[in-house]
Amino acid sequence: MADGRGEGLYLLLISVHGLIRGHQLELGRDADTGGQIQYAVELTRALAAHPDVDRVDLLTRRIEDPSLSPDYAEPQEQLAPGAHIIRLPCGPRRYLRKELLWPHLDAFIDNALQQMRRIGRTPDVIHSHYADSGYVGTRLSQLLGIPLIHTGHSLGRVKLQRLLESGMAENIIESRYNISQRIEAEEITLGNASLVVASTNQEVEEQYSQYENYHPKRMVVIPPGVDLSRFHPPRRGEPLPAYAAELERFLRQPRRPMILALSRADRRKNIATLVRAYGENRELQERANLVVVAGNREDITTLESGAREVLTELLLAIDRYDLHGRIAYPKRHSSSDVPDLYRLAARTRGLFVNPALTEPFGLTLIEAAASGVPLVATEDGGPIDIIQHCRNGLLIDPLDADALGAALLDAVSDRQRWLQWSRNGLRGVRRHYSWSAHVKRYLRELQRVKRRYHKPFIRAHKSRLPAVDRILISDIDNTLIGDRAGLDLLLRELAGAEERIGFGIATGRHLNSALKVIREWGIPRPDLLITSVGSELHYGTGLVEDGGWQRHIDYLWKPEELRAALDPIPGLKLQAKINQRRFKISYNVDPDKAPDIQEIRRHLRRLDLHARVIYSHQAYLDILPVRASKGMAVRYLAMRWGVPPECLLVAGDSGNDEEMLSGNTLGVVVGNYSPELEHLRNRPRIYFASASYAHGILEGMQHYDFLGSVTAPDQGG
Ligand code: GLC
Ligand code: MG
C-alpha cells in the first residue's frame, strides 16, 4: 500500500472531464458531473486499499476558473495512502464542457507522458473512463506498450440513436455534441482495450454490441460498489438528521412513509409520470408522502431549458392535483444530505422510486438498498440486475402511471414484506455491490490481461539532460525540400547552432529513398530518421536501427489479412513494391472512385483488423500498425531521450504529419500545406506559416524563438 515501494501494481486511471476532487463532489452540477466522477474517485480509493496495489493515480483536467472552487486547480491531491488525483492542463484554464475538449486531448497526452517522466515510473495498466479518456488512454497504451482497461459509462451510439428518435436533426446533434468524434474515439478505444468493464449485462448486449469493435470476450460485467461507510441504515437511537426539518416545511404528516425520488431534473428521469401516478391515487396519498429531490436551483426561470421545463411541469402538476402538504420538493441539498435522505426514507418505512424512461445502471438504487430502503424501479438494465440480486422491490413500466401508483401502494402496504425487502437489500448490496468485492474481481481480471500481454519495451525515464536541448524534426517532401533558397538559408541557421540543436526527419519515404533525396539536396545526415511514415527508426550517421521500436509496433499487425481486405476496394491501387514495407502497406487513391476514409476504417473494423489508416494529399493511403505513425515515433523518441515535447519543433505539410503536429510539440505547418490539415488552425502550438517550404520552417522557428530561448505558447488559449 505504501507509496513508491515499487513492487505492487501501479494503476493509472484517467477521467478527463467534469469536476473531480476528494470531498464534497459537486454531483449533478451539470451533465458532466454525474455518477462517473464518483465512480472514478471511489474506484481509485478502493484499488489503493488493496494490498497488491502500490499506487493509483487518477488523472483529470486541471481547471482554474474563478467561478469554481480552487480545489480543481491543485496539481495534486491525496485521496488516501497511495491514491492521488493528478490534475494536468488540457487546453484553456477555464471549465469546459466535455464536447469542447477534443482539440486539447493531444496536449493532455503529452502532459501525461511528462508526468510519468517526472515520477520515473510507467504504470502497469491504464484504465480510461468515457470516450475522451478512451482516446487519451489508447494513445498512451499504444505508445508505452501497456494494456488498456476501459469503462464507457455512457455511449455515443446510444445517445445518437436516442436523440434521433426524439426528432433532433443530425446536424444539430453533431454541432451540439460532436457526436461523430466521440463515436470514433469509442471505436478506437474498444479496438485497443484489453478489457472493458461494464456495469450490467444489458450494457454489453444492447449497447456495446452496436459498435464495429464489439468484442464481448474482452468484456466483463463488474458492477460498481457503493461506499458503505456513507450509505448505511439508520442506527438505533440516532437523532433525526438536520435535513428532516427541510422536508417538514412541506409535509403535514412527516411521519408517514416517504416515497423518495432523487435525480437530476431531466425529462428522461420521468418525474412527471411519478407525480401523475401519485396525484391520481387517493389511497396512496393517504398512506405516503412523495419527496422529489431534483437537483439544486435558485430560480427556475434561469435554469437551462430542459430542467426548467421539468420543474415547471412539476409545480403545475402539484397544483393540478392539489398535493400541497403531501409532497416535498426542496430547492437544494448537498451531497452530504443524500445519505440522510435515504435514511429518512428508511425510518418512515418508505420506498425509493426510480421511474426513469431507461436506466442503464442506477447507482441511486444501490445506495437506497444499502440504506435499507426497498425499491420500485423501471424494468430496464440496471434495476433488473439489482432487484434480481437483492430481491428488494418491484419493477414497473415507466409509461403506465396507473400501474406505477398501484405498485407504490402495494409496496408501502405490507409491513412484513417491507422488512424482508429492507433486509434483503442490505445483504444483497454487501455481496454484489461493495467496492472490496469489485476490486477483488477487477484485480483477478487484470492479472489475466497482464499475462496475455507482451512485456513492454518502452519505459519512462526520469528526465536527464540530453546532449542537445532541442530538436527540429521535419517532413521532407513539400516541407524541407521544394525551395532551394529557403533550404540553404535553413541549413545555414542550423549549422550555426549545431551543438544545441538536434536534427531529424520524418517522412513517408523508405530509408534509401530518404537518404537519396537528402544527398541530392545537399542536406547533412540527420541525427535521427523516421521513415516509412513512422514505421522505421534509425539513428545517427551509422544508421543504427531501433529494434525496440520494431518490436513495439509489431502488435496486432496482420499485413496479409489487411492486404486481402483492402486490395479489392475500388479506387485503391497498390503503390510500387519498394513502398511496401514490413510495417507499411501503401496505396495510391483515386478519390473519385474510392470510398471515404471513414468507410475504409469501418470496413477493417468489421473484419476485426487493427491498423492505423492515414490519408495524405488526397492521393496516398498508408496502412500502419496501430502503434506506428510519425506522431507516435516522435513521442517515443521524446520518452526515450527525455526531451520534453515543448523542445521539439516539428514541421510538415500533409495528412501523415498531423499526429506529430498535435499535442505539446511546437508545430509548424508550411504555407503550401494540403487541405486535410486546415482543421488544425487556431491551436496555440500549431503555427501556420505564410511562407512555403523551408522558408515556412524558418518562419516557424522564429515564431517560437527556437534558436533563442524557445517560447512554447500557453496551451491555455
Ligand atoms: C511517400 C511514400 C508513400 C506514402 C506517402 C504518404 O510518398 O513514398 O509510400 O504513401 O509518402 O505518406
Ligand atoms: Mg510532405
Side-chain angles (χ1 to χ4, degrees):
M1 219 196 304
D3 220 340
R5 200 177 45 197
E7 290 151 16
L9 293 165
Y10 172 25
L11 311 176
L12 185 72
L13 273 54
I14 310 177
S15 186
V16 179
H17 68 253
L19 294 171
I20 303 188
R21 63 181 175 190
H23 61 282
Q24 289 278 314
L25 291 181
E26 299 188 74
L27 294 179
R29 195 179 174 278
D30 63 19
D32 290 5
T33 49
Q36 173 185 342
I37 305 286
Q38 185 174 341
Y39 183 112
V41 169
E42 290 184 3
L43 177 61
T44 303
R45 278 206 185 95
L47 284 167
H50 193 281
D52 293 352
V53 176
D54 234 24
R55 174 181 183 127
V56 189
D57 289 337
L58 171 58
L59 292 194
T60 190
R61 183 168 178 255
R62 187 184 304 167
I63 300 156
E64 295 166 62
D65 192 324
S67 64
L68 292 168
S69 158
D71 292 349
Y72 305 115
E74 282 302 318
Q76 185 161 331
E77 175 183 343
Q78 180 157 28
L79 287 174
H84 293 87
I85 297 173
I86 311 272
R87 300 190 182 87
L88 302 175
C90 176
R93 294 194 175 78
R94 64 178 189 284
Y95 184 71
L96 283 183
R97 62 188 173 91
K98 58 182 176 305
E99 289 81 4
L100 302 178
L101 293 176
W102 294 105
H104 310 296
L105 296 178
D106 290 300
F108 189 85
I109 291 169
D110 279 339
N111 291 330
L113 291 170
Q114 201 182 349
Q115 160 70 13
M116 286 177 212
R117 268 199 307 272
R118 212 157 30 225
I119 64 170
R121 191 171 174 191
T122 306
D124 295 284
V125 70
I126 294 173
H127 183 165
S128 54
H129 297 265
Y130 192 82
D132 49 9
S133 310
Y135 173 80
V136 171
T138 297
R139 288 284 182 271
L140 290 172
S141 127
Q142 288 170 335
L143 192 62
L144 301 167
I146 53 182
L148 178 74
I149 299 182
H150 182 69
T151 301
H153 291 278
S154 71
L155 296 178
R157 287 198 191 278
V158 177
K159 177 163 188 162
L160 174 61
Q161 201 186 353
R162 195 177 62 233
L163 292 175
L164 287 173
E165 279 163 12
S166 79
M168 198 184 276
E170 201 154 354
N171 60 329
I172 307 248
I173 301 176
E174 188 53 45
S175 66
R176 196 173 297 172
Y177 299 110
N178 259 330
I179 202 96
S180 55
Q181 193 147 18
R182 173 175 173 190
I183 291 172
E184 179 60 16
E186 288 168 337
E187 287 287 5
I188 292 174
T189 306
L190 294 175
N192 183 68
S194 296
L195 186 71
V196 172
V197 178
S199 293
T200 63
N201 288 307
Q202 179 186 286
E203 195 184 340
V204 174
E205 287 154 18
E206 292 176 21
Q207 302 193 9
Y208 281 112
S209 60
Q210 297 179 32
Y211 283 76
E212 286 144 16
N213 269 322
Y214 175 53
H215 306 293
K217 277 205 208 77
R218 289 192 238 141
M219 301 193 160
V220 287
V221 176
I222 321 178
V226 59
D227 183 350
L228 297 175
S229 66
R230 285 182 72 210
F231 298 98
H232 54 78
R235 301 194 169 108
R236 218 177 282 280
E238 200 173 52
L240 270 180
Y243 203 75
E246 178 64 30
L247 300 183
E248 279 169 22
R249 301 196 299 140
F250 292 91
L251 302 174
R252 216 175 308 127
Q253 313 246 27
R255 304 281 166 269
R256 279 187 183 164
M258 159 176 161
I259 298 170
L260 172 65
L262 178 70
S263 70
R264 271 185 297 123
D266 182 322
R267 181 160 299 285
R268 288 195 301 128
K269 301 298 181 184
N270 198 25
I271 295 167
T273 305
L274 172 63
V275 177
R276 182 142 51 87
Y278 184 75
E280 290 177 357
N281 191 322
R282 299 285 327 174
E283 202 182 338
L284 182 59
Q285 290 170 35
E286 291 307 312
R287 292 233 181 189
N289 294 318
L290 183 59
V291 175
V292 178
V293 181
N296 284 306
R297 60 185 177 267
E298 198 56 63
D299 179 344
I300 291 176
T301 60
T302 63
L303 293 177
E304 51 92 18
S305 63
R308 189 171 64 227
E309 280 163 28
V310 166
L311 291 166
T312 308
E313 213 176 308
L314 170 70
L315 295 184
L316 293 176
I318 291 170
D319 198 67
R320 182 176 328 121
Y321 297 113
D322 197 5
L323 299 177
H324 306 282
R326 303 175 194 280
I327 178 169
Y329 43 100
K331 277 177 79 137
R332 42 187 59 259
H333 68 285
S334 72
S335 65
S336 59
D337 294 323
V338 172
D340 286 336
L341 271 163
Y342 293 120
R343 283 193 281 271
L344 277 166
R347 270 172 186 266
T348 59
R349 313 221 155 184
L351 304 168
F352 182 74
V353 59
N354 177 340
L357 296 176
T358 61
E359 188 50 83
F361 187 66
L363 190 59
T364 49
L365 294 168
I366 298 171
E367 293 171 352
S371 311
V373 187
L375 313 175
V376 172
T378 292
E379 181 155 19
D380 194 32
I384 292 176
D385 280 15
I386 293 166
I387 292 187
Q388 201 170 60
H389 282 141
C390 298
R391 287 171 293 113
N392 64 338
L394 301 173
L395 293 167
I396 48 100
D397 171 358
L399 299 176
D400 186 343
D402 288 346
L404 173 57
L408 290 168
L409 181 59
D410 177 24
V412 284
S413 300
D414 183 336
R415 195 186 148 84
Q416 273 316 309
R417 197 182 46 185
W418 189 95
L419 284 170
Q420 189 61 50
W421 277 349
S422 173
R423 277 196 298 267
N424 287 353
L426 295 174
R427 202 175 319 123
V429 165
R430 263 176 211 288
R431 255 189 71 191
H432 299 280
Y433 302 104
S434 75
W435 278 115
S436 62
H438 181 101
V439 164
K440 225 191 262 166
R441 175 87 196 281
Y442 180 106
L443 291 177
R444 214 166 49 226
E445 297 289 343
L446 171 59
Q447 291 304 345
R448 280 217 332 229
V449 165
K450 278 188 64 194
R451 251 177 276 129
R452 269 184 282 133
Y453 219 77
H454 309 284
K455 261 224 142 348
F457 301 114
I458 304 177
R459 286 281 158 200
H461 297 292
K462 247 195 171 33
S463 182
R464 63 191 157 83
L465 254 188
V468 293
D469 62 3
R470 64 201 74 175
I471 306 177
L472 166 67
I473 299 181
S474 177
D475 171 44
I476 299 182
D477 293 278
N478 297 316
T479 306
L480 199 55
I481 64 173
D483 179 286
R484 186 72 253 176
L487 178 60
D488 287 342
L489 210 57
L490 175 67
L491 294 179
R492 235 173 299 140
E493 290 274 5
L494 290 178
E498 204 178 12
E499 58 309 338
R500 309 179 50 200
I501 299 192
F503 172 51
I505 53 141
T507 177
R509 292 172 182 255
H510 60 83
L511 182 64
N512 284 333
S513 152
L515 291 172
K516 183 160 168 272
V517 72
I518 283 174
R519 231 177 7 249
E520 284 167 7
W521 283 75
I523 299 165
R525 184 67 71 76
D527 303 307
L528 59 101
L529 296 101
I530 301 170
T531 54
S532 298
V533 200
S535 64
E536 294 164 19
L537 263 185
H538 293 84
Y539 299 109
T541 40
L543 296 175
V544 180
E545 176 157 24
D546 189 322
W549 180 243
Q550 301 267 302
R551 283 194 300 280
H552 176 70
I553 64 177
D554 185 11
Y555 172 70
L556 303 176
W557 179 238
K558 296 184 180 155
E560 292 81 26
E561 276 108 314
L562 286 162
R563 278 281 308 270
L566 292 166
D567 283 357
I569 294 181
L572 298 192
K573 197 161 157 281
L574 211 57
Q575 291 179 12
K577 199 149 184 209
I578 185 76
N579 286 334
Q580 312 305 329
R581 315 293 295 179
R582 174 148 176 238
F583 294 109
K584 168 173 167 285
I585 304 170
S586 290
Y587 295 89
N588 292 318
V589 182
D590 178 345
D592 296 328
K593 293 204 194 107
D596 79 61
I597 299 310
Q598 207 41 40
E599 190 45 51
I600 294 176
R601 290 198 176 103
R602 237 171 268 145
H603 173 62
L604 295 180
R605 269 178 209 145
R606 277 187 218 113
L607 297 168
D608 199 13
L609 289 171
H610 299 257
R612 191 167 292 241
V613 177
I614 297 176
Y615 188 43
S616 304
H617 292 295
Q618 339 255 293
Y620 305 123
L621 187 70
D622 300 314
I623 309 297
L624 304 171
V626 286
R627 289 180 179 174
S629 71
K630 288 187 184 180
M632 295 291 261
V634 163
R635 276 170 184 76
Y636 165 80
L637 291 166
M639 285 298 270
R640 228 191 127 128
W641 292 10
V643 184
E646 298 68 38
C647 299
L648 296 174
L649 187 138
V650 295
D653 72 296
S654 78
N656 72 14
D657 302 312
E658 172 168 347
E659 271 190 40
M660 69 173 183
L661 291 163
S662 312
N664 279 348
T665 48
L666 308 174
V668 177
V669 175
V670 291
N672 54 299
Y673 65 94
S674 66
E676 67 263 14
L677 295 187
E678 184 57 40
H679 71 282
L680 297 178
R681 220 177 248 287
N682 296 326
R683 299 205 192 169
R685 289 197 195 165
I686 302 188
Y687 178 72
F688 277 69
S690 41
S692 294
Y693 306 101
H695 278 300
I697 305 179
L698 279 164
E699 188 187 321
M701 285 167 61
Q702 217 154 46
H703 173 78
Y704 295 115
D705 193 15
F706 193 64
L707 297 175
S709 48
V710 186
T711 43
D714 192 359
Q715 295 274 55

